[in-house]
Amino acid sequence: MTRKEIFINSAFTDNAVWKQILGICSSLAVTNLMMNSLIMGLGVTFALALSCLTVSIIREYTPRSVRMIAQTLIMAAYVIMVDIMLKAFLPDVSKQLGPYVGLIITNCILMGRLEAFASKNPPLDSVIDGIGAGLGYTMVLLVISFVRELFGFGTLFGFKIFGSWWTNWSIMVMAPSAFFLLALLIWFVNNKYYKVV
Amino acid sequence: MEISAFLLFWAAIFTSNILLTNFLGMCSYLSVSKEVESSMGLGIAVSFVLVFTTALNWLAYHYLLVPFHIEYLQYIVFIIVIAAFVQLLELLIERFAPALYYSLGIFLPLITVNCAIFGVSLFMVIRNYNFLQSIAYGFGSGLGWLLAILMLAGLRGKLREKMVPAGLRGTGISLIITGIMALAFVGFSGIAPIQ
């Protein structure tokens, strides 16, 4: 596979959320505001790309028996970096994301990509695969949060879109709408992209 | 701090269900909920592990991390505590209750990566629970998760023979069922707010 194919594959064809059904927790929890989704997506992309790089570099020196714990600790180190950066530069977003930043560690997308790709492939390919998977995840988050923020608050990235005539749909702010929207997205992608009939 | 542990226990099951309002533990929830029996097994294992890891993590946080001012290492410490506890539990069950091991054992490795376990420990730190509150919250969350996965498994069993649009089969329809369940649980909110 060329590097471009690797990227397309991990961002779209094998998209972590709609195809592999991984990382559902955070894609539902942080999508009530677009800003939170964007920051979360970039945080995951950062942690994922760097963990892929590290795991790929040490892949020949890691014994199979301690592979899992080594990968978990590498991920945890990068997630702590993301957490400290958010607390320093974006304290408001950090407070709203709450435990979900730490939960990047148990986000199955990371473990999935490390196990399936980075532990078998050279560093540069692994980083491209990690960035692709991270951006594919960010894209899904932004699509869901676009609908939820627009109808739930009448805003996008905090800017008012609808005027004072708009009544906020409180269902969009609450948990159930996230489940429905993700189901609709998966349905749409299955029909249009994978042509499941 | 004024919430009693008893109230917190019920609140964790109904008003702020770990899965239906905080979206934690979705991965294993969606993949294991095909059969009622295996859902039951995993749910019990999750509740059991949650009680003990929440207690251990509370002790680790307040007696190890806070005195040395290394709170930023909480993620690594919590993950290690959870992984070590699950491993230990697996060894003990295999040694002393082989029958239980064969029905429950396959779920134990899954639990280490279940984000509900890790998430409850993080919520415990963020919301500043005391020891008793943490255990009550951990146990309640486990039972709440068990309740949610059992309901989904039962409903999925009924749906197996029904006509579902091809693109929705599997995950899609499970998410819609979960959404309807979450709507029903919104009805409980306001009875006992815990944040």
Side-chain angles (χ1 to χ4, degrees):
Chain A
M1 265 201 297
T2 64
R3 303 228 155 96
K4 194 178 163 205
E5 281 167 357
I6 293 176
F7 182 83
I8 300 281
N9 189 50
S10 67
F12 296 99
T13 315
D14 246 351
N15 182 291
V17 182
W18 70 53
K19 177 71 179 169
Q20 305 180 46
I21 320 293
L22 296 177
I24 304 286
C25 316
S26 50
S27 40
L28 295 171
V30 301
T31 48
N32 52 353
L33 292 172
M34 284 194 87
M35 196 59 191
N36 291 358
S37 307
L38 183 67
I39 300 297
M40 182 72 181
L42 293 181
V44 168
T45 311
F46 172 85
L48 181 53
L50 287 177
S51 331
C52 278
L53 178 69
T54 317
V55 167
S56 173
I57 289 173
I58 61 165
R59 71 184 187 284
E60 275 153 27
Y61 315 104
T62 325
R64 272 196 79 75
S65 50
V66 296
R67 196 179 72 247
M68 288 288 200
I69 193 80
Q71 289 173 357
T72 311
L73 291 181
I74 290 168
M75 291 189 304
Y78 288 118
V79 171
I80 290 176
M81 280 161 66
V82 172
D83 189 39
I84 291 177
M85 279 195 284
L86 283 184
K87 277 194 182 123
F89 297 116
L90 295 162
D92 292 342
V93 177
S94 166
K95 197 157 278 170
Q96 281 175 20
L97 291 178
Y100 295 100
V101 180
L103 282 164
I104 297 176
I105 299 174
T106 49
N107 192 322
C108 337
I109 296 177
L110 274 78
M111 204 50 142
R113 286 334 288 168
L114 293 182
E115 226 3 63
F117 200 92
S119 56
K120 299 187 193 91
N121 288 286
L124 193 58
D125 289 0
S126 305
V127 172
I128 290 171
D129 175 73
I131 292 176
L135 291 182
Y137 168 81
T138 312
M139 179 178 66
V140 173
L141 255 62
L142 286 177
V143 169
I144 298 178
S145 61
F146 176 82
V147 181
R148 286 185 76 186
E149 186 175 344
L150 186 63
F151 292 110
F153 297 99
T155 59
L156 288 178
F157 283 109
F159 294 110
K160 259 220 146 354
I161 301 293
F162 295 144
S164 51
W165 52 272
W166 176 255
T167 310
N168 290 343
W169 300 6
S170 49
I171 179 83
M172 281 293 174
V173 183
M174 292 189 298
S177 73
F179 290 112
F180 293 137
L181 287 172
L182 184 61
L184 291 178
L185 180 72
I186 290 175
W187 192 7
F188 179 80
V189 170
N190 271 341
N191 279 348
K192 296 289 167 198
Y193 192 78
Y194 298 109
K195 312 278 187 221
V196 177
V197 187
Chain B
M1 292 309 280
E2 63 283 347
I3 314 163
S4 75
F6 184 69
L7 184 64
L8 201 55
F9 171 73
W10 292 108
I13 300 179
F14 294 110
T15 62
S16 71
N17 187 291
I18 191 83
L19 193 131
L20 296 172
T21 57
N22 289 323
F23 311 106
L24 294 177
M26 287 295 296
C27 298
S28 38
Y29 169 80
L30 288 174
S31 56
V32 180
S33 58
K34 291 189 184 84
E35 306 278 337
V36 173
E37 276 117 66
S38 47
S39 307
M40 189 79 182
L42 183 64
I44 291 172
V46 164
S47 312
F48 187 77
V49 172
L50 257 178
V51 176
F52 286 92
T53 53
T54 318
L56 288 173
N57 281 339
W58 192 91
L59 293 173
Y61 186 78
H62 288 271
Y63 290 101
L64 194 71
L65 298 180
V66 173
F68 291 106
H69 303 292
I70 45 171
E71 287 94 339
Y72 60 88
L73 283 182
Q74 54 168 303
Y75 299 153
I76 288 189
V77 172
F78 287 177
I79 280 284
I80 292 175
V81 167
I82 292 170
F85 180 77
V86 171
Q87 199 93 72
L88 186 74
L89 191 69
E90 205 178 339
L91 290 178
L92 285 178
I93 294 182
E94 194 180 9
R95 175 76 179 79
F96 294 108
L100 186 66
Y101 181 75
Y102 287 112
S103 58
L104 212 66
I106 46 165
F107 300 118
L108 285 173
L110 269 180
I111 288 181
T112 319
V113 290
N114 188 325
C115 36
I117 313 276
F118 188 50
V120 165
S121 290
L122 293 180
F123 272 124
M124 160 196 95
V125 169
I126 287 176
R127 295 185 188 154
N128 235 334
Y129 289 147
N130 63 31
F131 188 63
L132 202 59
Q133 282 175 323
S134 303
I135 292 182
Y137 181 65
F139 189 41
S141 300
L143 290 183
W145 198 86
L146 171 68
L147 183 68
I149 195 172
L150 270 186
M151 291 197 297
L152 180 67
L155 288 168
R156 277 180 86 167
K158 298 248 179 233
L159 271 179
R160 203 163 295 144
E161 305 298 321
K162 300 286 186 293
M163 300 282 279
V164 175
L168 266 182
R169 235 168 259 153
T171 315
I173 197 73
S174 305
L175 282 169
I176 289 185
I177 295 172
T178 313
I180 296 171
M181 275 165 22
L183 262 184
F185 272 64
V186 167
F188 289 116
S189 64
I191 299 175
I194 62 164
Q195 298 201 41

